[in-house]
Amino acid sequence: MHPVQNADGGSVLQTARNYPIDAATVIDAGAVVKLSAGKVVLAAAAETGGILGIAAEFHSGKEDALNLRANGKEILVCDNPTLIFECPAPTIKAASGSAATIVPAEGDVDAAAADDAFNNAILVLKEKAANSTNTDALGTQIVVTDYTKTGTVMTKASGGTPSAGDVYEVYPVIGAAIGGVASLGDKRLGITLKTVGATKIRCIGHDYERGTIKLMAIGHALT
């Protein structure tokens, strides 16, 4: 995760503050974190509690002669409750489809994602398979008009027929909590569609040129 700005227009750099952390705790810069017993820890993949913010530095939990804070007792966190942060848009790979549908490869979307979970999400064709016959150009934006849990079928408003192996970026609906379609990924540095959960994060913007989605905390530890 990369802090972008604050919703009130303030500087991201001014919001990074020191918080207690156990010396052995491992947290990457950019990870989504929370407070537990007054100390910083990684947020759960499907976090249900308040989020503190985004780690502003790497805490390896091990002694480092070049970084005395690597196993120190404090860590910097960008903690403004109105912090806007971003991460790469998650992707799916088409297994099959038609002019009206896309079926993601097995495991790319959590089977627990409910009917209609992806309705009005935007798909962007990122990469074509080597033998693809898809007539869409790279960067083509496609609106998902309906999602059916059985078979993980995404009905789309327009576009060509996807070939197996074509890769699409998935941009969740702006304003929606991502927990219905995604969860926090490995090391809490982004989001993944492979699992869903009650993650306290909302999608608030898309950057198609940079391939990122903008996010904010729904529940915050300081509010």
Side-chain angles (χ1 to χ4, degrees):
M1 300 287 188
H2 174 67
V4 179
Q5 65 182 110
N6 295 316
D8 60 7
S11 169
V12 168
L13 295 178
Q14 294 175 357
T15 68
R17 298 192 296 174
N18 277 312
Y19 283 89
I21 187 172
D22 282 334
T25 299
V26 180
I27 291 179
D28 286 331
V32 179
V33 297
K34 66 177 182 178
L35 288 173
S36 177
K39 294 183 179 181
V40 172
V41 297
L42 284 178
E47 183 59 55
T48 59
I51 290 167
L52 178 61
I54 307 298
E57 60 181 335
F58 179 55
H59 191 276
S60 68
K62 298 179 180 179
E63 184 176 353
D64 185 344
L66 299 179
N67 179 11
L68 299 180
R69 293 175 63 90
N71 65 337
K73 295 182 179 181
E74 291 185 322
I75 184 172
L76 286 169
V77 177
C78 295
D79 65 348
N80 193 315
T82 67
L83 180 68
I84 297 172
F85 47 99
E86 67 178 3
C87 70
T91 60
I92 57 171
K93 186 176 289 186
S96 61
S98 67
T101 62
I102 294 176
V103 179
E106 184 176 359
D108 278 7
V109 173
D110 191 341
D115 286 339
D116 302 329
F118 290 92
N119 288 14
N120 298 312
I122 305 296
L123 305 179
V124 175
L125 182 58
K126 180 180 180 181
E127 179 183 333
K128 292 186 182 183
N131 59 347
S132 177
T133 58
N134 193 338
T135 57
D136 287 337
L138 296 181
T140 297
Q141 297 177 20
I142 301 165
V143 178
V144 178
T145 58
D146 187 59
Y147 177 71
T148 304
K149 176 179 177 179
T150 301
T152 62
V153 179
M154 295 180 177
T155 301
K156 56 194 182 74
S158 61
T161 300
S163 292
D166 289 350
V167 177
Y168 292 84
E169 295 170 335
V170 180
Y171 293 83
V173 175
I174 291 177
I178 67 166
V181 298
S183 68
L184 290 170
D186 185 43
K187 298 183 179 181
R188 314 301 181 255
L189 296 172
I191 66 172
T192 175
L193 302 177
K194 297 180 185 298
T195 57
V196 298
T199 305
K200 293 290 188 175
I201 292 177
R202 187 184 309 280
C203 176
I204 63 142
H206 303 157
D207 189 331
Y208 300 117
E209 290 186 1
R210 298 174 58 243
T212 62
I213 57 175
K214 291 181 170 57
L215 307 162
M216 286 184 68
I218 297 173
H220 198 279
L222 302 185
T223 60

